[in-house]
Amino acid sequence: MHRLRARPYAAALVALALAVTTASCTGSDEPEGAPSPAPSSAPAESPATSDEPAPESVQPRVRVTRVSGRLKPKDQEVLADNVGKVVNAYFEDAFTGGAYPRTSFGDAFATFSDGAARQADGDRDLLTNRVLGPQTESVVVRRQTAYLSVLAPYKVAAGVTATVHLRFVAERADKPAKRVDVKGRLMLTRKEKSGGWKIFGYDLTQDATTAGEGGAR
Amino acid sequence: MTTLLPALAGLPGRQLRRLLVLGLVLAVTALVVPTPTYRDAPVSLVKGQGASGVDHNHNVVWILFLGSDARPGQGMTRSRADAIQLTGVNLKTGHATMIGIPRDSYVPIPGHGRDKINAAMYFGGPKLMGRAVGNLVGVQPDYVFTTGFAGFRKMVNTIGGVTVNSRFAFSDPVRPKGYKVGKNHLTGFQAEIFARIRKSFPRGDFDRSGNQQDVMRGILAQVRGGMDKPGFMERGVLSVVRNMNTDLKPSQLYKLAQAGTRVEQRKLRGCVVLGGIGTVNGASVVFPSYSQARRIGRDVRNDARLDHGC
């Protein structure tokens, strides 16, 4: 479960964020050619300044943006849902979920293939919130997007690259908050038996900066 | 004044005044300039630090790449192979070695006596071709990938062409400005000619095999340059699915392709199996150096890393 800090004025700020992001949420971080969000969609990022109370966590956004081959629109929706669950489960297990302050990240790679999980274990400091976790009191998600490039040569998805961006603020006791950006690619194929999706490759960067610097949180 | 601080006692008046002025400046600065809200301990994360990894069942994979000379209407996997490159890839260390086999190499073909090695595909398809090459080098391929002229052109065009570092200058109508020594960015058609032509080169078939490896180096560079772009890998693998013959399912190809991007340009080596030129039944053939082929095979079999040169 997420442990998210409830904040006053959250509803008003979410509404404000929605209005702002509706106008400008196709930022430079969004992959080229990604579709513009529908006006009713959840905000991909919730802006705020250091002087304002931060809004609640935004909802994850997952979309199919490219298909190499053919995949029906309805199948694209199902795919986005299924792959989204896997990607979002990783982000939750590794960064945004759990009870903070958090020292255990043993379940961070549950949605990875066995081999990828073994490799990821060696990159744990970058692929989880382990470094900041013990000092973090709560996590507020500011952006959580996954844009999917799909390989579907025979009208069925065979492989997916998720171009991801997770931005969250780690609120810390007696210390300034940290804004953490996790960006890059997650590669997925189907499990042989169940047909579900698993992450078999990753190419991610993590960038932690002090929240409030440059007016960004 | 000397009662202010014991440490100041005994200082000459001028020095004492300087110290007091300095203290005053520091005190004012402390009041005017806002106190930093925090003094944060450094976090071990460095801006933009990255991690990458790709899971594959095997650390070392051997792939036999074949370029079929099938003409339109001919079966791609039942024609002769023009290009023969046995390539080992170490997905863990990023090393890779290409072993080029001249197509006219005269070798035993299981079940068919002795013949040019490229006849093995005509007799028994990619599988027999794999055995013939494997027996020569002493390394059996895990996979055999076969493509034809048109398929090769399409695949190269899909990734945006390829830059090769040519050792020779030569001309061909497909490239009006010619091929120069050094870097040439080629279209699919131009790359095909670069990999097929041999008469312009001093060592004929051997240099052609070397050119094929230059194309493969260029393809790797192009793929590594584009792999971060959304949709690039999927388009590339789709092109492979459509233009290459292989037993692998699309999902397996996808995984292998993503893992293959781990190969680093500087760790990619190439050797061509050399040999003597002769004739058999009036046909020009190459008598390949088994000792060289086996020596290279022993060197690279387990880790795809060329330690002892060609």
Side-chain angles (χ1 to χ4, degrees):
Chain A
M1 285 292 290
H2 287 240
R3 183 183 168 198
L4 302 174
R5 176 175 290 178
R7 294 173 181 279
Y9 317 116
L13 283 167
V14 168
L16 175 65
L18 197 67
V20 172
T21 53
T22 298
S24 62
C25 70
T26 47
S28 58
D29 290 333
E30 199 156 305
E32 184 192 345
S36 298
S40 61
S41 63
E45 186 169 7
S46 154
T49 67
S50 55
D51 299 330
E52 297 171 327
E56 290 181 348
S57 288
V58 299
Q59 292 301 306
R61 175 187 288 170
V62 182
R63 288 184 177 194
V64 173
T65 54
R66 287 173 179 78
V67 176
S68 294
R70 292 184 69 183
L71 198 61
K72 291 177 186 171
K74 197 166 185 177
D75 293 338
Q76 292 185 27
E77 284 177 27
V78 173
L79 178 75
D81 191 41
N82 291 338
V83 170
K85 282 176 186 164
V86 174
V87 171
N88 293 331
Y90 161 57
F91 281 150
E92 184 171 335
D93 294 343
F95 294 101
T96 62
Y100 279 100
R102 183 178 166 193
T103 54
S104 172
F105 291 84
D107 57 352
F109 308 121
T111 55
F112 283 45
S113 68
D114 291 345
R118 276 194 297 275
Q119 292 185 49
D121 208 47
D123 295 321
R124 189 167 284 269
D125 284 356
L126 290 166
L127 299 179
T128 71
N129 196 31
R130 190 170 81 151
V131 173
L132 294 173
Q135 320 154 23
T136 299
E137 288 199 318
S138 67
V139 164
V140 180
V141 179
R142 291 289 166 75
R143 180 186 178 105
Q144 188 169 337
T145 56
Y147 295 112
L148 312 183
S149 299
V150 183
L151 170 68
Y154 304 118
K155 300 182 183 177
V156 176
V160 172
T161 298
T163 302
V164 298
H165 185 181
L166 170 68
R167 171 178 290 176
F168 65 88
V169 174
E171 303 282 1
R172 303 185 296 167
D174 305 327
K175 286 186 175 180
K178 283 280 182 186
R179 189 185 77 183
V180 180
D181 282 286
V182 180
K183 288 184 188 177
R185 296 178 296 144
L186 293 171
M187 295 147 240
L188 301 98
T189 51
R190 290 181 187 277
K191 295 176 189 170
E192 283 187 14
K193 289 179 183 172
S194 67
W197 291 87
K198 63 183 175 183
I199 295 166
F200 74 91
Y202 55 87
D203 183 9
L204 297 175
T205 61
Q206 186 180 149
D207 182 5
T209 55
T210 300
E213 283 180 355
R217 286 201 60 163
Chain B
M1 292 290 284
T2 54
T3 58
L4 283 176
L5 283 172
L8 299 180
L11 286 176
R14 183 185 251 180
Q15 200 171 340
L16 184 61
R17 276 197 300 277
R18 279 185 186 165
L19 274 172
L20 287 172
V21 169
L22 179 62
L24 188 64
V25 169
L26 287 173
V28 170
T29 304
L31 288 172
V32 173
V33 177
T35 310
T37 52
Y38 55 85
R39 183 179 174 82
D40 199 10
V43 175
S44 66
L45 292 172
V46 175
K47 184 177 174 67
Q49 260 190 312
S52 63
V54 180
D55 176 26
H56 196 269
N57 300 341
H58 307 288
N59 284 339
V60 178
V61 177
W62 282 94
I63 303 168
L64 178 59
F65 290 103
L66 300 174
S68 166
D69 72 351
R71 268 44 181 190
Q74 294 181 323
M76 188 167 73
T77 57
R78 284 290 175 164
S79 298
R80 291 174 188 264
D82 245 2
I84 306 164
Q85 297 288 338
L86 181 62
T87 303
V89 177
N90 190 322
L91 303 171
K92 195 171 182 182
T93 66
H95 286 90
T97 300
M98 303 171 284
I99 304 172
I101 314 293
R103 68 167 189 183
D104 291 339
S105 296
Y106 195 69
V107 299
I109 295 174
H112 296 274
R114 292 177 72 88
D115 208 326
K116 288 184 180 181
I117 198 166
N118 65 348
M121 193 145 85
Y122 175 79
F123 292 134
K127 200 169 180 181
L128 185 61
M129 189 73 197
R131 283 181 63 197
V133 171
N135 291 346
L136 171 61
V137 179
V139 179
Q140 294 295 332
D142 300 300
Y143 310 111
V144 182
F145 290 0
T146 310
T147 189
F149 299 136
F152 175 80
R153 290 196 292 264
K154 285 178 187 169
M155 286 188 288
V156 171
N157 286 335
T158 297
I159 59 172
V162 62
T163 299
V164 298
N165 201 2
S166 180
R167 292 159 295 153
F168 308 105
F170 59 98
S171 60
D172 191 276
V174 302
R175 188 172 168 85
K177 62 181 179 182
Y179 297 79
K180 64 179 183 186
V181 172
K183 289 188 176 177
N184 299 259
H185 189 76
L186 309 178
T187 64
F189 200 1
Q190 293 166 350
E192 177 202 329
I193 297 303
F194 184 81
R196 285 180 64 191
I197 206 162
R198 66 170 171 161
K199 290 185 177 170
S200 307
F201 308 138
R203 297 191 306 165
D205 215 5
F206 304 112
D207 287 329
R208 170 167 62 179
S209 191
N211 276 4
Q212 291 162 5
Q213 294 177 349
D214 286 337
V215 170
M216 291 173 70
R217 279 193 190 89
I219 289 172
L220 174 67
Q222 196 74 9
V223 169
R224 282 179 61 93
M227 65 186 184
D228 292 338
K229 296 175 189 164
F232 179 88
M233 291 301 292
E234 288 70 27
R235 281 196 304 277
V237 176
L238 179 67
S239 186
V240 171
V241 170
R242 288 179 173 168
N243 297 298
M244 225 174 214
N245 176 278
T246 164
D247 289 340
L248 290 179
K249 295 176 190 170
S251 58
Q252 293 171 313
L253 265 179
Y254 185 69
K255 209 170 164 182
L256 184 60
Q258 295 280 16
T261 61
R262 308 283 294 168
V263 174
E264 296 175 39
Q265 202 74 18
R266 64 189 175 87
K267 295 180 179 176
L268 175 62
R269 297 280 185 273
C271 290
V272 176
V273 174
L274 303 175
I277 308 292
T279 56
V280 173
N281 299 328
S284 176
V285 299
V286 171
F287 297 106
S289 168
Y290 271 83
S291 60
Q292 184 209 10
R294 294 284 169 82
R295 181 175 52 75
I296 296 169
R298 281 194 302 275
D299 184 355
V300 300
R301 182 185 296 120
N302 295 325
D303 58 6
R305 173 180 166 157
L306 187 70
D307 292 316
H308 304 297
C310 296

